[in-house]
């Protein structure tokens, strides 16, 4: 029983880590896209 519970915990933690990693990756891509959009439309700097 403890082995089954341990395996379930490992699987849940792996899924949680994967979701967090994908969310961070997507947010970085969105921020870079937003900065490029503002640079093209308004001429703002990419660094601020």
């Amino acid at each position: 029983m403890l082995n089954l519970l341990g395996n379930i915990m490992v699987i849940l933690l792996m899924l949680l880590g994967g979701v967090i990693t994908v969310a961070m990756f997507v947010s970085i891509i969105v921020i870079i896209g937003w900065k490029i959009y503002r640079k093209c439309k308004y001429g703002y700097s990419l660094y601020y």
Side-chain angles (χ1 to χ4, degrees):
M1 183 65 181
L2 288 177
N3 193 15
L4 178 63
L5 185 60
N7 287 341
I8 291 172
M9 290 283 289
V10 168
I11 291 171
L12 288 175
L13 291 173
M14 285 174 39
L15 290 174
L16 182 63
V19 168
I20 291 170
T21 302
V22 168
M24 288 190 327
F25 179 74
V26 168
S27 67
I28 289 171
I29 298 298
V30 168
I31 289 170
I32 291 172
W34 178 250
K35 285 184 171 287
I36 292 171
Y37 168 75
R38 289 188 336 155
K39 173 68 175 170
C40 293
K41 183 162 184 170
Y42 302 113
Y44 292 159
S45 172
L46 291 175
Y47 303 108
Y48 298 111

